[in-house]
Structure formats: structure tokens, C-alpha cells
Amino acid sequence: MILVTGGAGFIGANFVLDWLNGNGEGVINLDKLTYAGNLQTLASLESDPRHVFVQGDIGDRELVSRLLQEYQVRAVINFAAESHVDRSIHGPGEFIQTNVVGTFNLLEAVRAYWNALEGEAKAAFRFLHVSTDEVYGTLSATDAPFSESNRYEPNSPYSASKAASDHLVRAWHHTYGLPVLTTNCSNNYGPYHFPEKLIPLVILNALAGKPLPIYGDGQQIRDWLYVKDHCSAIRTVLAQGRLGETYNVGGWNEKANLDVVHTICSILDTLRPKADGTGYAEQITYVQDRPGHDRRYAIDARKLERELGWKPAETFESGIRKTVQWYLDNQDWVSNVTSGNYRQWLEQHYGNKA
Ligand code: NAD
Ligand code: TYD
């Protein structure tokens, strides 16, 4: 079996669903179920014996050691993290706890397990760490996209905590020989994305007749990748990646935030026109900028294509259309997720920005 951490979150859950769709191999899914973890996403697996869900913390060494032993795990894929930049600005403590201390404890449990393996099982074992392009910092308009040899220059508490975890993973390979792989991916979007992040927030606010908040001038650039393409990249790296290497993952889809929001509005204008005849773009509202807001991210994904033959299947245009349609078709999931905790966050974060 494989052990997936954070498999009830946005990317982890998409990964688990895709994995079990195309593969007979079972998954142990270890997730703490923070505000970002949602078991409803995995409802289709409820009676699937190949999926074992365990609520717990990656920092709980005893629990992780027991799971590794009990299920004779052959690979660990580490998605578990605090992942939202704005939350990391309001409260960085949890980011250090999970992303840094949690990853350290996970690595130690995995190292002890791997040390005790023998022969083929030891040689075949893999630890794949899922990370972000944000560790490289920010680019100017004319800089080349981030390659794997760029310096780490994280600017937010989130990216600093992810950078620290990447360094731990690297050191556990160089010092202890742990068979690790690291992926650094650009911004993901797609089904089951928690609506605190730009794309799902804009889709749902538009439909609810609420303001579409643009930070600063809206000219910050992100490099968007459809989540299923990220999942296929992770499967490729897990199967064929060279030990100790890092692979940048991206879709060559650089877009300014304002353009992303206009694209969503025009898709909604076609799929769900407003009764009063106005366009969704009229809901766009400029709000106070994020402190330390990185101006541009862009990923050079040529190493992954050259060495392992991976390419994304979706363009931004095809992926964003599918995503908007998914949110229109899955109102149950949406209303469940927009209750409770999430509402309090909206009030706290946007309440004093307007
Ligand atoms: P997410 O916030 O949607 O999900 C994170 C999941 O981890 C949640 O289910 C949460 O309950 C779980 N979790 C949090 N702390 C935990 C702990 N201590 N122990 C066990 N589980 C815990 O995040 P996501 O967007 O799915 O991102 C997954 C990974 O991919 C993260 O490591 C993130 O840094 C990385 N990444 C994300 C993006 C993106 O655009 N979302 C891009 C590149 C890389
Ligand atoms: P986000 O989805 O939070 O991802 P990240 O910060 O990891 O890139 O934000 C994407 C971009 O959209 C980022 O430049 C911040 C911006 N943004 C807004 O303009 N308004 C919003 O309400 C949010 C959540 C983000």
C-alpha cells in the first residue's frame, strides 16, 4: 500500500480519487481534518476496501510508525500542510508546527521504518514530498521562470515553512540516504478546491451576488495548473523520478489575477447568465493588498518533460471551463463547505480590508 498524508485536502483528495480510479493498489489516508480537510470529497470511497482513512497528525510519530508497519507501506506521499498564504500572515504558528515540525517527525518515523526494511522492499521504497513554487520567492516581469536551480527566497510565513520542510527532506536524503523525491508545483485549481483560494472564491462569490475581491492592482501573476495534471506529475515522479532530485511542475499558464477573474466572469455569463442582464464582472471590487504580496510566479517544467516525459493534459482555457462547470454541478459539496468555520474566516479576513 501507499501512505498518503493530507488526502482529505484539495490536491491530496484529487490524488487519492485518481489513484484508486486507475490502480488496484490500496491507500492509507492520514489526515488531521483541519478546516481544510473534507471527507465529503471522498464519499465515493466509503465502501471501497482499498481506502483506509485514519484521522491523525503527521507529527504523531507513534501513529505513523504503526501505520507504516501494519500496512507494510511501500511509498509515502506527503501532501499534509497548512497551505493558505493569507492564513499564514494572520497566524504563522500552525504553519511552523505542521509544515516544519510535522514534516520532521514524519521523516523520522519513515527513516526508522525504512532502516528496518531489507532487500527489494528497501530498494523500492520512496518518500515523495509535495511542495510549491513559492519557495523560490518572486519574479520581475522579465525574469526567466523558476528552474530547479533557482535560489530559495521564500517571502511569506507559508512559503518559508514549506522551504524549511524541503530542506529537511533534502538533508534526510544526503545524510541518512532516505530515498526521497520532491516536487515544486505552481498554483493548482480544479474540483474540490476550498473556497478561500482565488478561483473557487470568485466562482462562489459571483454566483452568490457578492463582491469579487481583487488584492491591490490585480496584476500579480500566477502560473495555473489543473489539479489532475499535478496528480499525474506526482504519479510520474513517484514511478520514475531519480532519488534525491527535485522536479518543478507547471502548466506554462501565466495569468494576471484580474484576467483570471474576468475569464471566470465571462464563462459564468454564458453558463449561468444573471437574471438582471448585468455581467458578473460588475461585482469586481478592489481591496487592500496582501502584505509582502509576491508579484509573479512562473515555472520552468522542462526538466520533468525532458527526463520523465510528463506534460499537462489541460490548457488554462479547458481547465477553467471544467472547473466552473464542476462548481455549478456540485452545489451539495459547496454548501457543506461554505458553512461554519469558513464563514468566520471570511469575516475576520475581509471584514477589515474593504
Ligand atoms: P489543503 O489545505 O487543501 O489540504 C491540506 C490537508 O492537510 C487538509 O486535508 C488538512 O486537514 C491536512 N493536514 C493539515 N495539517 C495536518 C497535519 N498536521 N497532519 C495531517 N494532516 C494535516 O492543501 P492543498 O492545496 O491540497 O495542498 C496540498 C499540498 O500541496 C501542500 O503541501 C501544499 O503546500 C502543496 N501545494 C499546493 C498548491 C496549491 O495551489 N494548492 C500548489 C503547490 C503545492
Ligand atoms: P491564492 O489562491 O491565495 O494562492 P497563492 O497566494 O498561494 O498564490 O491567491 C492567488 C492570487 O490571487 C494571489 O496573487 C492573491 C490573489 N487573491 C486576490 O486577489 N483576492 C483574493 O480574495 C484571494 C484569496 C487571492
Side-chain angles (χ1 to χ4, degrees), residues 295-312:
R295 197 69 184 163
R296 173 176 168 237
Y297 302 144
I299 274 280
D300 178 343
R302 281 178 297 181
K303 176 178 173 184
L304 185 51
E305 182 175 351
R306 192 176 58 243
E307 292 191 8
L308 309 184
W310 176 87
K311 268 199 223 174

mmCIF file with all atom_site columns, all heavy atoms in Angstrom, residues 295-312:
data_model
loop_
_atom_site.group_PDB
_atom_site.id
_atom_site.type_symbol
_atom_site.label_atom_id
_atom_site.label_alt_id
_atom_site.label_comp_id
_atom_site.label_asym_id
_atom_site.label_entity_id
_atom_site.label_seq_id
_atom_site.pdbx_PDB_ins_code
_atom_site.Cartn_x
_atom_site.Cartn_y
_atom_site.Cartn_z
_atom_site.occupancy
_atom_site.B_iso_or_equiv
_atom_site.pdbx_formal_charge
_atom_site.auth_seq_id
_atom_site.auth_comp_id
_atom_site.auth_asym_id
_atom_site.auth_atom_id
_atom_site.pdbx_PDB_model_num
ATOM 1   N N   . ARG A 1 295 ? 4.887  39.213 -6.593  1.00 0.00 ? 295 ARG A N   1
ATOM 2   C CA  . ARG A 1 295 ? 4.358  39.799 -7.833  1.00 0.00 ? 295 ARG A CA  1
ATOM 3   C C   . ARG A 1 295 ? 4.119  38.742 -8.911  1.00 0.00 ? 295 ARG A C   1
ATOM 4   O O   . ARG A 1 295 ? 3.122  38.762 -9.596  1.00 0.00 ? 295 ARG A O   1
ATOM 5   C CB  . ARG A 1 295 ? 5.370  40.841 -8.336  1.00 0.00 ? 295 ARG A CB  1
ATOM 6   C CG  . ARG A 1 295 ? 4.820  41.799 -9.354  1.00 0.00 ? 295 ARG A CG  1
ATOM 7   C CD  . ARG A 1 295 ? 3.800  42.745 -8.745  1.00 0.00 ? 295 ARG A CD  1
ATOM 8   N NE  . ARG A 1 295 ? 3.210  43.598 -9.769  1.00 0.00 ? 295 ARG A NE  1
ATOM 9   C CZ  . ARG A 1 295 ? 2.090  44.275 -9.610  1.00 0.00 ? 295 ARG A CZ  1
ATOM 10  N NH1 . ARG A 1 295 ? 1.432  44.236 -8.466  1.00 0.00 ? 295 ARG A NH1 1
ATOM 11  N NH2 . ARG A 1 295 ? 1.611  45.015 -10.575 1.00 0.00 ? 295 ARG A NH2 1
ATOM 12  N N   . ARG A 1 296 ? 5.081  37.851 -9.069  1.00 0.00 ? 296 ARG A N   1
ATOM 13  C CA  . ARG A 1 296 ? 4.932  36.901 -10.188 1.00 0.00 ? 296 ARG A CA  1
ATOM 14  C C   . ARG A 1 296 ? 5.564  35.553 -9.849  1.00 0.00 ? 296 ARG A C   1
ATOM 15  O O   . ARG A 1 296 ? 6.695  35.503 -9.335  1.00 0.00 ? 296 ARG A O   1
ATOM 16  C CB  . ARG A 1 296 ? 5.612  37.488 -11.435 1.00 0.00 ? 296 ARG A CB  1
ATOM 17  C CG  . ARG A 1 296 ? 5.669  36.530 -12.607 1.00 0.00 ? 296 ARG A CG  1
ATOM 18  C CD  . ARG A 1 296 ? 6.266  37.176 -13.859 1.00 0.00 ? 296 ARG A CD  1
ATOM 19  N NE  . ARG A 1 296 ? 6.563  36.171 -14.855 1.00 0.00 ? 296 ARG A NE  1
ATOM 20  C CZ  . ARG A 1 296 ? 7.762  35.954 -15.415 1.00 0.00 ? 296 ARG A CZ  1
ATOM 21  N NH1 . ARG A 1 296 ? 8.809  36.722 -15.083 1.00 0.00 ? 296 ARG A NH1 1
ATOM 22  N NH2 . ARG A 1 296 ? 7.935  34.998 -16.295 1.00 0.00 ? 296 ARG A NH2 1
ATOM 23  N N   . TYR A 1 297 ? 4.823  34.479 -10.143 1.00 0.00 ? 297 TYR A N   1
ATOM 24  C CA  . TYR A 1 297 ? 5.385  33.128 -10.111 1.00 0.00 ? 297 TYR A CA  1
ATOM 25  C C   . TYR A 1 297 ? 5.292  32.570 -11.527 1.00 0.00 ? 297 TYR A C   1
ATOM 26  O O   . TYR A 1 297 ? 4.284  32.789 -12.217 1.00 0.00 ? 297 TYR A O   1
ATOM 27  C CB  . TYR A 1 297 ? 4.575  32.170 -9.228  1.00 0.00 ? 297 TYR A CB  1
ATOM 28  C CG  . TYR A 1 297 ? 4.407  32.559 -7.769  1.00 0.00 ? 297 TYR A CG  1
ATOM 29  C CD1 . TYR A 1 297 ? 3.210  32.287 -7.111  1.00 0.00 ? 297 TYR A CD1 1
ATOM 30  C CD2 . TYR A 1 297 ? 5.443  33.145 -7.043  1.00 0.00 ? 297 TYR A CD2 1
ATOM 31  C CE1 . TYR A 1 297 ? 3.029  32.609 -5.769  1.00 0.00 ? 297 TYR A CE1 1
ATOM 32  C CE2 . TYR A 1 297 ? 5.264  33.465 -5.702  1.00 0.00 ? 297 TYR A CE2 1
ATOM 33  C CZ  . TYR A 1 297 ? 4.059  33.196 -5.074  1.00 0.00 ? 297 TYR A CZ  1
ATOM 34  O OH  . TYR A 1 297 ? 3.890  33.505 -3.760  1.00 0.00 ? 297 TYR A OH  1
ATOM 35  N N   . ALA A 1 298 ? 6.330  31.827 -11.928 1.00 0.00 ? 298 ALA A N   1
ATOM 36  C CA  . ALA A 1 298 ? 6.283  31.137 -13.220 1.00 0.00 ? 298 ALA A CA  1
ATOM 37  C C   . ALA A 1 298 ? 7.219  29.944 -13.139 1.00 0.00 ? 298 ALA A C   1
ATOM 38  O O   . ALA A 1 298 ? 8.322  30.041 -12.593 1.00 0.00 ? 298 ALA A O   1
ATOM 39  C CB  . ALA A 1 298 ? 6.723  32.065 -14.344 1.00 0.00 ? 298 ALA A CB  1
ATOM 40  N N   . ILE A 1 299 ? 6.766  28.819 -13.646 1.00 0.00 ? 299 ILE A N   1
ATOM 41  C CA  . ILE A 1 299 ? 7.522  27.563 -13.513 1.00 0.00 ? 299 ILE A CA  1
ATOM 42  C C   . ILE A 1 299 ? 8.098  27.120 -14.855 1.00 0.00 ? 299 ILE A C   1
ATOM 43  O O   . ILE A 1 299 ? 7.389  27.094 -15.866 1.00 0.00 ? 299 ILE A O   1
ATOM 44  C CB  . ILE A 1 299 ? 6.581  26.456 -12.964 1.00 0.00 ? 299 ILE A CB  1
ATOM 45  C CG1 . ILE A 1 299 ? 6.531  26.504 -11.439 1.00 0.00 ? 299 ILE A CG1 1
ATOM 46  C CG2 . ILE A 1 299 ? 6.990  25.082 -13.418 1.00 0.00 ? 299 ILE A CG2 1
ATOM 47  C CD1 . ILE A 1 299 ? 7.687  25.869 -10.723 1.00 0.00 ? 299 ILE A CD1 1
ATOM 48  N N   . ASP A 1 300 ? 9.378  26.767 -14.822 1.00 0.00 ? 300 ASP A N   1
ATOM 49  C CA  . ASP A 1 300 ? 10.013 26.117 -15.961 1.00 0.00 ? 300 ASP A CA  1
ATOM 50  C C   . ASP A 1 300 ? 9.940  24.607 -15.696 1.00 0.00 ? 300 ASP A C   1
ATOM 51  O O   . ASP A 1 300 ? 10.671 24.082 -14.847 1.00 0.00 ? 300 ASP A O   1
ATOM 52  C CB  . ASP A 1 300 ? 11.467 26.591 -16.043 1.00 0.00 ? 300 ASP A CB  1
ATOM 53  C CG  . ASP A 1 300 ? 12.230 25.921 -17.172 1.00 0.00 ? 300 ASP A CG  1
ATOM 54  O OD1 . ASP A 1 300 ? 11.759 24.875 -17.671 1.00 0.00 ? 300 ASP A OD1 1
ATOM 55  O OD2 . ASP A 1 300 ? 13.303 26.435 -17.544 1.00 0.00 ? 300 ASP A OD2 1
ATOM 56  N N   . ALA A 1 301 ? 9.051  23.929 -16.409 1.00 0.00 ? 301 ALA A N   1
ATOM 57  C CA  . ALA A 1 301 ? 8.813  22.498 -16.141 1.00 0.00 ? 301 ALA A CA  1
ATOM 58  C C   . ALA A 1 301 ? 9.535  21.603 -17.158 1.00 0.00 ? 301 ALA A C   1
ATOM 59  O O   . ALA A 1 301 ? 9.180  20.440 -17.338 1.00 0.00 ? 301 ALA A O   1
ATOM 60  C CB  . ALA A 1 301 ? 7.311  22.209 -16.155 1.00 0.00 ? 301 ALA A CB  1
ATOM 61  N N   . ARG A 1 302 ? 10.606 22.152 -17.777 1.00 0.00 ? 302 ARG A N   1
ATOM 62  C CA  . ARG A 1 302 ? 11.245 21.366 -18.848 1.00 0.00 ? 302 ARG A CA  1
ATOM 63  C C   . ARG A 1 302 ? 11.980 20.130 -18.356 1.00 0.00 ? 302 ARG A C   1
ATOM 64  O O   . ARG A 1 302 ? 12.066 19.129 -19.062 1.00 0.00 ? 302 ARG A O   1
ATOM 65  C CB  . ARG A 1 302 ? 12.199 22.260 -19.645 1.00 0.00 ? 302 ARG A CB  1
ATOM 66  C CG  . ARG A 1 302 ? 11.467 23.142 -20.651 1.00 0.00 ? 302 ARG A CG  1
ATOM 67  C CD  . ARG A 1 302 ? 12.397 24.035 -21.393 1.00 0.00 ? 302 ARG A CD  1
ATOM 68  N NE  . ARG A 1 302 ? 13.068 24.969 -20.488 1.00 0.00 ? 302 ARG A NE  1
ATOM 69  C CZ  . ARG A 1 302 ? 13.937 25.894 -20.866 1.00 0.00 ? 302 ARG A CZ  1
ATOM 70  N NH1 . ARG A 1 302 ? 14.256 26.015 -22.129 1.00 0.00 ? 302 ARG A NH1 1
ATOM 71  N NH2 . ARG A 1 302 ? 14.489 26.712 -19.985 1.00 0.00 ? 302 ARG A NH2 1
ATOM 72  N N   . LYS A 1 303 ? 12.499 20.183 -17.109 1.00 0.00 ? 303 LYS A N   1
ATOM 73  C CA  . LYS A 1 303 ? 13.228 19.008 -16.610 1.00 0.00 ? 303 LYS A CA  1
ATOM 74  C C   . LYS A 1 303 ? 12.304 17.796 -16.530 1.00 0.00 ? 303 LYS A C   1
ATOM 75  O O   . LYS A 1 303 ? 12.660 16.691 -16.943 1.00 0.00 ? 303 LYS A O   1
ATOM 76  C CB  . LYS A 1 303 ? 13.813 19.316 -15.222 1.00 0.00 ? 303 LYS A CB  1
ATOM 77  C CG  . LYS A 1 303 ? 14.502 18.125 -14.563 1.00 0.00 ? 303 LYS A CG  1
ATOM 78  C CD  . LYS A 1 303 ? 15.097 18.533 -13.217 1.00 0.00 ? 303 LYS A CD  1
ATOM 79  C CE  . LYS A 1 303 ? 15.635 17.336 -12.463 1.00 0.00 ? 303 LYS A CE  1
ATOM 80  N NZ  . LYS A 1 303 ? 16.140 17.726 -11.112 1.00 0.00 ? 303 LYS A NZ  1
ATOM 81  N N   . LEU A 1 304 ? 11.113 18.019 -16.006 1.00 0.00 ? 304 LEU A N   1
ATOM 82  C CA  . LEU A 1 304 ? 10.144 16.926 -15.855 1.00 0.00 ? 304 LEU A CA  1
ATOM 83  C C   . LEU A 1 304 ? 9.734  16.366 -17.224 1.00 0.00 ? 304 LEU A C   1
ATOM 84  O O   . LEU A 1 304 ? 9.571  15.149 -17.389 1.00 0.00 ? 304 LEU A O   1
ATOM 85  C CB  . LEU A 1 304 ? 8.923  17.458 -15.092 1.00 0.00 ? 304 LEU A CB  1
ATOM 86  C CG  . LEU A 1 304 ? 7.824  16.497 -14.699 1.00 0.00 ? 304 LEU A CG  1
ATOM 87  C CD1 . LEU A 1 304 ? 8.366  15.273 -13.977 1.00 0.00 ? 304 LEU A CD1 1
ATOM 88  C CD2 . LEU A 1 304 ? 6.803  17.199 -13.798 1.00 0.00 ? 304 LEU A CD2 1
ATOM 89  N N   . GLU A 1 305 ? 9.607  17.234 -18.204 1.00 0.00 ? 305 GLU A N   1
ATOM 90  C CA  . GLU A 1 305 ? 9.246  16.772 -19.545 1.00 0.00 ? 305 GLU A CA  1
ATOM 91  C C   . GLU A 1 305 ? 10.419 16.031 -20.195 1.00 0.00 ? 305 GLU A C   1
ATOM 92  O O   . GLU A 1 305 ? 10.262 14.933 -20.742 1.00 0.00 ? 305 GLU A O   1
ATOM 93  C CB  . GLU A 1 305 ? 8.819  17.966 -20.414 1.00 0.00 ? 305 GLU A CB  1
ATOM 94  C CG  . GLU A 1 305 ? 8.383  17.500 -21.793 1.00 0.00 ? 305 GLU A CG  1
ATOM 95  C CD  . GLU A 1 305 ? 7.830  18.613 -22.677 1.00 0.00 ? 305 GLU A CD  1
ATOM 96  O OE1 . GLU A 1 305 ? 7.620  19.742 -22.192 1.00 0.00 ? 305 GLU A OE1 1
ATOM 97  O OE2 . GLU A 1 305 ? 7.627  18.329 -23.866 1.00 0.00 ? 305 GLU A OE2 1
ATOM 98  N N   . ARG A 1 306 ? 11.618 16.617 -20.069 1.00 0.00 ? 306 ARG A N   1
ATOM 99  C CA  . ARG A 1 306 ? 12.807 16.043 -20.722 1.00 0.00 ? 306 ARG A CA  1
ATOM 100 C C   . ARG A 1 306 ? 13.163 14.691 -20.121 1.00 0.00 ? 306 ARG A C   1
ATOM 101 O O   . ARG A 1 306 ? 13.387 13.714 -20.828 1.00 0.00 ? 306 ARG A O   1
ATOM 102 C CB  . ARG A 1 306 ? 13.967 17.033 -20.519 1.00 0.00 ? 306 ARG A CB  1
ATOM 103 C CG  . ARG A 1 306 ? 15.195 16.771 -21.352 1.00 0.00 ? 306 ARG A CG  1
ATOM 104 C CD  . ARG A 1 306 ? 16.236 17.859 -21.141 1.00 0.00 ? 306 ARG A CD  1
ATOM 105 N NE  . ARG A 1 306 ? 16.645 18.011 -19.749 1.00 0.00 ? 306 ARG A NE  1
ATOM 106 C CZ  . ARG A 1 306 ? 16.458 19.114 -19.010 1.00 0.00 ? 306 ARG A CZ  1
ATOM 107 N NH1 . ARG A 1 306 ? 15.865 20.156 -19.535 1.00 0.00 ? 306 ARG A NH1 1
ATOM 108 N NH2 . ARG A 1 306 ? 16.860 19.166 -17.745 1.00 0.00 ? 306 ARG A NH2 1
ATOM 109 N N   . GLU A 1 307 ? 13.165 14.623 -18.769 1.00 0.00 ? 307 GLU A N   1
ATOM 110 C CA  . GLU A 1 307 ? 13.664 13.399 -18.124 1.00 0.00 ? 307 GLU A CA  1
ATOM 111 C C   . GLU A 1 307 ? 12.596 12.327 -17.981 1.00 0.00 ? 307 GLU A C   1
ATOM 112 O O   . GLU A 1 307 ? 12.893 11.145 -18.056 1.00 0.00 ? 307 GLU A O   1
ATOM 113 C CB  . GLU A 1 307 ? 14.230 13.732 -16.735 1.00 0.00 ? 307 GLU A CB  1
ATOM 114 C CG  . GLU A 1 307 ? 15.493 14.566 -16.816 1.00 0.00 ? 307 GLU A CG  1
ATOM 115 C CD  . GLU A 1 307 ? 16.195 14.676 -15.467 1.00 0.00 ? 307 GLU A CD  1
ATOM 116 O OE1 . GLU A 1 307 ? 15.782 13.984 -14.505 1.00 0.00 ? 307 GLU A OE1 1
ATOM 117 O OE2 . GLU A 1 307 ? 17.158 15.459 -15.393 1.00 0.00 ? 307 GLU A OE2 1
ATOM 118 N N   . LEU A 1 308 ? 11.365 12.740 -17.721 1.00 0.00 ? 308 LEU A N   1
ATOM 119 C CA  . LEU A 1 308 ? 10.341 11.733 -17.401 1.00 0.00 ? 308 LEU A CA  1
ATOM 120 C C   . LEU A 1 308 ? 9.167  11.762 -18.376 1.00 0.00 ? 308 LEU A C   1
ATOM 121 O O   . LEU A 1 308 ? 8.206  11.000 -18.219 1.00 0.00 ? 308 LEU A O   1
ATOM 122 C CB  . LEU A 1 308 ? 9.832  11.925 -15.955 1.00 0.00 ? 308 LEU A CB  1
ATOM 123 C CG  . LEU A 1 308 ? 10.907 12.012 -14.848 1.00 0.00 ? 308 LEU A CG  1
ATOM 124 C CD1 . LEU A 1 308 ? 10.256 12.110 -13.479 1.00 0.00 ? 308 LEU A CD1 1
ATOM 125 C CD2 . LEU A 1 308 ? 11.841 10.811 -14.877 1.00 0.00 ? 308 LEU A CD2 1
ATOM 126 N N   . GLY A 1 309 ? 9.194  12.656 -19.349 1.00 0.00 ? 309 GLY A N   1
ATOM 127 C CA  . GLY A 1 309 ? 8.176  12.661 -20.409 1.00 0.00 ? 309 GLY A CA  1
ATOM 128 C C   . GLY A 1 309 ? 6.813  13.202 -19.996 1.00 0.00 ? 309 GLY A C   1
ATOM 129 O O   . GLY A 1 309 ? 5.829  13.014 -20.707 1.00 0.00 ? 309 GLY A O   1
ATOM 130 N N   . TRP A 1 310 ? 6.745  13.925 -18.836 1.00 0.00 ? 310 TRP A N   1
ATOM 131 C CA  . TRP A 1 310 ? 5.437  14.430 -18.388 1.00 0.00 ? 310 TRP A CA  1
ATOM 132 C C   . TRP A 1 310 ? 5.059  15.738 -19.087 1.00 0.00 ? 310 TRP A C   1
ATOM 133 O O   . TRP A 1 310 ? 5.907  16.611 -19.265 1.00 0.00 ? 310 TRP A O   1
ATOM 134 C CB  . TRP A 1 310 ? 5.449  14.669 -16.869 1.00 0.00 ? 310 TRP A CB  1
ATOM 135 C CG  . TRP A 1 310 ? 4.161  15.287 -16.385 1.00 0.00 ? 310 TRP A CG  1
ATOM 136 C CD1 . TRP A 1 310 ? 3.033  14.623 -16.018 1.00 0.00 ? 310 TRP A CD1 1
ATOM 137 C CD2 . TRP A 1 310 ? 3.873  16.693 -16.228 1.00 0.00 ? 310 TRP A CD2 1
ATOM 138 N NE1 . TRP A 1 310 ? 2.059  15.516 -15.641 1.00 0.00 ? 310 TRP A NE1 1
ATOM 139 C CE2 . TRP A 1 310 ? 2.540  16.795 -15.770 1.00 0.00 ? 310 TRP A CE2 1
ATOM 140 C CE3 . TRP A 1 310 ? 4.608  17.863 -16.443 1.00 0.00 ? 310 TRP A CE3 1
ATOM 141 C CZ2 . TRP A 1 310 ? 1.934  18.025 -15.505 1.00 0.00 ? 310 TRP A CZ2 1
ATOM 142 C CZ3 . TRP A 1 310 ? 4.000  19.088 -16.191 1.00 0.00 ? 310 TRP A CZ3 1
ATOM 143 C CH2 . TRP A 1 310 ? 2.673  19.157 -15.730 1.00 0.00 ? 310 TRP A CH2 1
ATOM 144 N N   . LYS A 1 311 ? 3.790  15.827 -19.457 1.00 0.00 ? 311 LYS A N   1
ATOM 145 C CA  . LYS A 1 311 ? 3.235  17.092 -19.980 1.00 0.00 ? 311 LYS A CA  1
ATOM 146 C C   . LYS A 1 311 ? 1.820  17.237 -19.441 1.00 0.00 ? 311 LYS A C   1
ATOM 147 O O   . LYS A 1 311 ? 1.124  16.232 -19.284 1.00 0.00 ? 311 LYS A O   1
ATOM 148 C CB  . LYS A 1 311 ? 3.122  17.014 -21.503 1.00 0.00 ? 311 LYS A CB  1
ATOM 149 C CG  . LYS A 1 311 ? 4.310  17.513 -22.244 1.00 0.00 ? 311 LYS A CG  1
ATOM 150 C CD  . LYS A 1 311 ? 3.889  17.819 -23.669 1.00 0.00 ? 311 LYS A CD  1
ATOM 151 C CE  . LYS A 1 311 ? 4.948  17.319 -24.617 1.00 0.00 ? 311 LYS A CE  1
ATOM 152 N NZ  . LYS A 1 311 ? 4.605  17.429 -25.999 1.00 0.00 ? 311 LYS A NZ  1
ATOM 153 N N   . PRO A 1 312 ? 1.362  18.466 -19.205 1.00 0.00 ? 312 PRO A N   1
ATOM 154 C CA  . PRO A 1 312 ? -0.030 18.628 -18.754 1.00 0.00 ? 312 PRO A CA  1
ATOM 155 C C   . PRO A 1 312 ? -1.008 18.310 -19.878 1.00 0.00 ? 312 PRO A C   1
ATOM 156 O O   . PRO A 1 312 ? -0.707 18.526 -21.054 1.00 0.00 ? 312 PRO A O   1
ATOM 157 C CB  . PRO A 1 312 ? -0.118 20.108 -18.381 1.00 0.00 ? 312 PRO A CB  1
ATOM 158 C CG  . PRO A 1 312 ? 1.013  20.777 -19.089 1.00 0.00 ? 312 PRO A CG  1
ATOM 159 C CD  . PRO A 1 312 ? 2.077  19.757 -19.313 1.00 0.00 ? 312 PRO A CD  1
#
